[in-house]
Amino acid sequence: VLSHRLATHIQASVDGADEVIVRLLSGIGRPIDQPQLFAIDVVAERGLSSAQAQQVRELARQQLAEFPALVNELIHGTVAVF
């Protein structure tokens, strides 16, 4: 859910982002908001500028910081899972 939400947010926020793929891998016993792997691939016909790459990193940090809010949305059924 977090990967999908972040990919959608990045694509909507970063000019020229044609496709965004987000992969998250959490480790057993580690907090879920501290993933073992956090990879973001952005497909952009003209590539990304350094400012856009920084924007992607900042959006990712924000989404991880807001993870507790997502958990509450999931608990209360206010976010679609399927």
Side-chain angles (χ1 to χ4, degrees), residues 18-81:
D18 300 315
E19 182 179 351
V20 180
I21 301 164
V22 176
R23 292 182 301 271
L24 288 167
L25 174 68
S26 59
I28 296 173
R30 293 181 63 173
I32 197 153
D33 61 346
Q34 296 176 14
Q36 189 171 357
L37 171 73
F38 192 178
I40 302 171
D41 294 319
V42 179
V43 177
E45 186 175 323
R46 296 182 182 184
L48 293 180
S49 67
S50 58
Q52 288 173 310
Q54 179 60 34
Q55 181 184 11
V56 168
R57 286 189 291 274
E58 186 56 36
L59 290 169
R61 282 188 205 101
Q62 288 173 356
Q63 288 293 312
L64 277 178
E66 295 172 5
F67 186 73
L70 175 58
V71 170
N72 283 333
E73 290 178 46
L74 289 166
I75 290 169
H76 292 96
T78 58
V79 63
V81 178

Side-chain angles (χ1 to χ4, degrees), residues 1-16:
V1 174
L2 178 60
S3 295
H4 183 265
R5 180 178 275 195
L6 179 56
T8 301
H9 190 61
I10 290 171
Q11 189 171 15
S13 301
V14 178
D15 288 336

